[in-house]
Amino acid sequence: MTDALQANDRPAFQLKGTTVSLTALELAYFDEESFEAALREKIRQAPGFFRNIPILISLDHYQGPTAELDFFKLLGICRRHDIHVVGVRGGDEDQRRLARHAAIAVLPGSGQNDRPSSPEKGPETGPAAESGTDAPNAESTPANPAPARIVSQPVRSGQQVYAPEGDLIILAPVQAGAEVLAAGNIHVYGPLRGRALAGVHGQEEARVFCQSLEAELVSIAGHYKISEDLQERGWKAPVQIQLRDDLLVVTPLDRSPG
Amino acid sequence: MARIIVVTSGKGGVGKTTTSASISTGLARRGHKTVVIDFDVGLRNLDLIMNCERRVVYDFVNVIQGDASLNQALIRDKRVDTLYILPASQTREKEALTKEGVEKVINELSETFDYIVCDSPAGIEHGALMALYYADEAIVVTNPEVSSVRDSDRILGILQSKSRRAEMGQDPVKEHLLLTRYNPDRVEKGEMLSVADVEEILAIPLLGVIPESQVVLNASNQGTPVILEDQSDAGQAYDDAVARLLGEEREHRFMSSQKKGFFARMFKG
């Protein structure tokens, strides 16, 4: 009767459907050296974004021979660069088998390019994450918004703050030489002097708000402007920055309505 | 328990060693038993500024490596008898400063001293990290120019993330801004950042403003901590800074240019 009492009161866990937004690595072919070189280059461009990031390997666009798909090597390279592979999506039956051998969760494909090598499609639902299309509807609860990360200390030169899921709110200056990144919006209640990258998973609706625009670089979903190009509008003023037709638009915030 | 104060800046040549000498002398002169440690292994300067270079027998690294005892290595200042200097080694590698070794020495000094002032080398490499690791307070020495301010910001970030207090999740290192080489005339001409500019960027409390002065250079060359030049503006400014460090309220001086009076202009040309 060790844990019996407790167990009767409250179940140890509940199963719920959940939708997680993940970064997918669209693999075109696998060659150990070129894979690592490409990965290293990506990391060099945004080191903060890639640190300890969970990633989904997508085989939807895989063109190379299945025999070259060495998941053990791929996992090793990712691990060396602090990237965590949580699952594999798409691919044909053989490729999925290879993934399972490497103990990687196999998720349902993204739909349009799913290429099952055999006609019937097994229910290969991984335990880790459900991505979009086939999420079970049995207990569909409205997805809770990812919690915002709130920082009240100045972000100093050389420091990096990353909100991998939701918004990032900073109640202090972001100094020149500092970098702030978020999956969602970035709010800076102080001068933004460093680099701000919002929507790092490609969320184009993400915005950057700051009390004084003095940034070295602002990026939304990969579209960026550097300091030189930010001077014309709202410089050293409270602004919001958003993406419109693939262009970053700076709008002053101090215009009172009416 | 001693208070451990690091004098740091990131950038070189801004006045860390001058400041370490004056702050430690000022603390000792007020009766606090103080030791100042030179962490700049390989480029030792503190002993020159403190005028004890001819009395160096053993150094910091000798103590860390167990070749000498602390008592053998500590040099007692000839002017202020509650002040001791632990000189850096000129011949060893920076890596001789191990975390454990530095901790052992600091713990031993903590038993008998009130204040331990750590004179950091420039940069953000090993020596600088060792100097700030055990700090309770930090005096961030900054010149009123953009690159110095940027480096100070970097050091502040490191204090918040790599000091022992940060790693242990204790109260953060108490930060003080000391603006040196301040020239109000050049600020007025727009050639230098103003106190307000630097305070606004770095967002830490101002400990003091040391005016640019020939006296500082002369004092360094003669091996006198400039704080002992009681008549000079720089000496007085350092004394104010020490008073503030000890919790006294003192109004900031030497921040605006001295308007020469009519007679001064007439007679001095």
Side-chain angles (χ1 to χ4, degrees), chain B residues 5-22:
Chain B
I5 302 171
V6 62
V7 177
T8 186
S9 71
K11 196 170 170 62
V14 295
K16 283 183 296 295
T17 302
T18 302
T19 298
S20 299
S22 281

Side-chain angles (χ1 to χ4, degrees), chain A residues 106-256:
Chain A
V106 178
L107 310 176
S110 63
Q112 72 260 30
N113 280 312
D114 206 11
R115 301 166 297 170
S117 58
S118 49
E120 101 280 9
K121 194 173 150 196
E124 295 144 332
T125 310
E130 297 288 345
S131 64
T133 50
D134 294 334
N137 294 319
E139 201 174 340
S140 63
T141 43
N144 285 330
R149 179 160 179 201
I150 301 177
V151 175
S152 48
Q153 289 288 316
V155 187
R156 305 274 183 194
S157 176
Q159 292 184 319
Q160 207 166 38
V161 177
Y162 176 38
E165 286 176 4
D167 289 0
L168 178 59
I169 300 170
I170 294 159
L171 303 160
V174 175
Q175 303 285 44
E179 193 169 62
V180 292
L181 307 101
N185 307 303
I186 296 177
H187 305 251
V188 182
Y189 296 97
L192 170 57
R193 302 187 175 113
R195 300 155 70 97
L197 294 87
V200 288
H201 299 321
Q203 199 185 332
E204 300 197 332
E205 322 66 88
R207 296 185 191 189
V208 174
F209 306 84
C210 62
Q211 282 195 328
S212 177
L213 176 64
E214 302 167 35
E216 294 169 336
L217 178 143
V218 174
S219 160
I220 294 170
H223 301 266
Y224 67 90
K225 271 193 176 176
I226 55 171
S227 177
E228 266 182 16
D229 306 325
L230 290 166
Q231 305 280 334
E232 311 124 43
R233 201 170 161 75
W235 190 249
K236 293 205 170 181
V239 297
Q240 64 163 314
I241 301 152
Q242 55 194 305
L243 198 60
R244 270 191 220 139
D245 302 327
D246 289 354
L247 264 181
L248 288 194
V249 180
V250 179
T251 326
L253 285 174
D254 50 1
R255 244 185 281 143
S256 50

Side-chain angles (χ1 to χ4, degrees), chain B residues 177-243:
Chain B
L177 171 64
L178 188 75
L179 211 53
T180 54
R181 299 227 169 115
Y182 194 70
N183 185 331
D185 291 329
R186 295 188 58 196
V187 172
E188 271 179 23
K189 286 185 204 147
E191 296 169 1
M192 260 187 188
L193 296 173
S194 70
V195 178
D197 290 339
V198 180
E199 271 190 291
E200 208 260 321
I201 297 172
L202 290 180
I204 60 169
L206 183 66
L207 180 70
V209 178
I210 313 300
E212 189 173 45
S213 162
Q214 186 62 35
V215 180
V216 176
L217 192 63
N218 293 348
S220 291
N221 286 335
Q222 287 163 16
T224 312
V226 69
I227 196 170
L228 294 175
E229 304 284 349
D230 289 319
Q231 300 305 312
S232 70
D233 50 1
Q236 291 173 19
Y238 269 118
D239 191 59
D240 284 355
V242 171

